[in-house]
Amino acid sequence: MANTRAEIENMNIGDTLPERTHKVDWEDILKFNRYVTGGVDTKNIHTDDEVARKAGLPRALATGRHPVSFITELMVDYLGMGFITSGEIDVSFVKPIFPGDVLTLMAVLREKSPDEGAMRYLFDVSLVNQDGAAVTIGIAGGRLA
Amino acid sequence: MSEKPDFVWENLEVGMTIGERSVLVTQEKVDAHCDAVGAKREWYQGDSPAGGPIAPPMIFINDLLAIYDENYKRFGTIHAKLGYRFHRPVRVGETVNQKVTVKDLYVKREKGWIVSELSVTNETGELLLTSSHTSVLSLTRKHGKDG
């Protein structure tokens, strides 16, 4: 594993973390639905095209909350326990995510500042789909532990 | 047993508690979450710097909605924003207390909006995390049932 601590300590404002891609498959959506329902398969706008169409959507879509973990896991990779004990994330869901979408996670350093004897790093984060459209945007960061 | 109220504007007010509950953070819940979101890290199943396994940051991603549903009839939710502040690790095997409160209600572009907050504390009352959710809220009972 790369020395993420050295990597982040050498970052300047505007620098980016290495991009990551995540494909959101149909099976991933069903797994997330099973998790939130306590292991039960249910028909809703996230798991059934027909239910989604009845709700006025073109087809089933992933919940926007699902890929937020992609961002928080990236933050834990780089900030370690600092994210667990002092982390923050604020995101807006700006476009739907459909089964099969490939999301690129980007994080650009926005601020770095001293915080309780350590350095705090705050990133502009975004998830961009295969068509180049941002689906989730916001900020995430915390102290480097 | 009385019927749950509809989760609509007219049944909510700023400052009110939507619901509270205690939840045991089991290894099974953590494993299911990790599988659902593809989170892989030794800390979540083995040892961690906190001593023993801890839960991923997003472990309670659905708990605010679950508390809605325990106390109200809900007709689906369109989420616009999500925020978290993390303060302490959530340890596998601990029982946490969860509380959901209404932080704001407003109308924008002819839609009702609710900002609600999930706060999670441990058994000694220490704050582990807070999570803020902004979502569309049906303005009336009729709207709720129709859409």
Side-chain angles (χ1 to χ4, degrees):
Chain A
M1 187 176 170
N3 185 345
T4 53
R5 184 177 187 93
E7 203 174 329
I8 201 165
E9 283 177 336
N10 289 327
M11 290 184 79
N12 295 309
I13 306 301
D15 288 348
T16 60
L17 293 177
E19 290 182 0
R20 292 182 178 183
T21 58
H22 297 270
K23 186 172 184 190
V24 181
D25 283 323
W26 187 247
E27 184 54 37
D28 297 325
I29 293 171
L30 296 180
K31 264 199 238 176
F32 187 81
N33 187 67
R34 273 183 220 119
Y35 173 69
V36 301
T37 60
V40 181
D41 284 317
T42 56
K43 284 189 173 186
N44 56 49
I45 61 168
H46 304 300
T47 62
D48 189 279
D49 285 337
E50 191 59 34
V51 174
R53 278 193 282 271
K54 282 182 182 167
L57 300 163
R59 56 194 167 102
L61 72 171
T63 162
R65 295 174 296 136
H66 176 176
V68 176
S69 286
F70 304 158
I71 304 170
T72 57
E73 290 304 312
L74 174 75
M75 290 295 120
V76 179
D77 281 348
Y78 280 89
L79 299 172
M81 285 298 287
F83 188 72
I84 303 283
T85 58
S86 74
E88 62 181 299
I89 180 167
D90 285 300
V91 292
S92 298
F93 306 118
V94 293
K95 282 198 182 296
I97 300 165
F98 292 102
D101 278 0
V102 177
L103 306 179
T104 300
L105 170 55
M106 292 183 271
V108 181
L109 186 62
R110 173 197 182 105
E111 292 173 23
K112 59 193 271 194
S113 55
D115 183 9
E116 295 187 13
M119 288 298 287
R120 187 174 192 85
Y121 295 82
L122 189 63
F123 294 86
D124 286 312
V125 292
S126 58
L127 287 162
V128 177
N129 70 16
Q130 65 282 353
D131 299 322
V135 297
T136 304
I137 57 173
I139 58 163
R143 280 195 300 271
L144 177 62
Chain B
M1 184 178 165
S2 62
E3 194 174 324
K4 292 178 196 172
D6 291 334
F7 193 70
V8 295
W9 180 282
E10 64 205 50
N11 291 334
L12 299 163
E13 59 186 70
V14 175
M16 72 183 289
T17 297
I18 288 178
E20 294 180 71
R21 68 178 187 178
S22 295
V23 171
L24 174 63
V25 181
T26 63
Q27 187 65 60
E28 290 73 22
K29 180 178 172 75
V30 169
D31 291 347
H33 175 80
C34 289
D35 186 45
V37 301
K40 296 182 178 71
R41 196 178 307 279
E42 186 189 349
W43 297 357
Y44 305 150
Q45 276 82 30
D47 201 12
S48 76
I54 60 173
M58 290 291 108
I59 185 72
F60 301 127
I61 187 65
N62 197 61
D63 290 50
L64 177 137
L65 295 183
I67 290 173
Y68 280 1
D69 292 337
E70 286 173 3
N71 296 280
Y72 287 85
K73 275 194 297 180
R74 191 169 58 92
F75 307 97
T77 298
I78 298 171
H79 302 279
K81 295 180 182 179
L82 178 66
Y84 272 82
R85 298 292 180 273
F86 302 102
H87 303 288
R88 289 177 177 80
V90 176
R91 297 169 190 277
V92 173
E94 75 177 334
T95 297
V96 299
N97 300 304
Q98 301 176 325
K99 180 179 181 179
V100 174
T101 52
V102 179
K103 306 303 281 187
D104 198 7
L105 293 165
Y106 58 92
V107 177
K108 186 177 171 186
R109 295 192 201 110
E110 298 180 355
K111 284 181 182 165
W113 294 85
I114 179 169
V115 181
S116 48
E117 183 182 87
L118 168 72
S119 62
V120 181
T121 54
N122 63 17
E123 286 167 300
T124 57
E126 293 174 316
L127 183 63
L128 304 181
L129 63 90
T130 57
S131 174
S132 171
H133 296 235
T134 303
S135 46
V136 178
L137 177 68
S138 297
L139 288 171
T140 68
R141 189 180 305 273
K142 176 179 180 300
H143 285 136
K145 284 182 175 168
D146 288 348

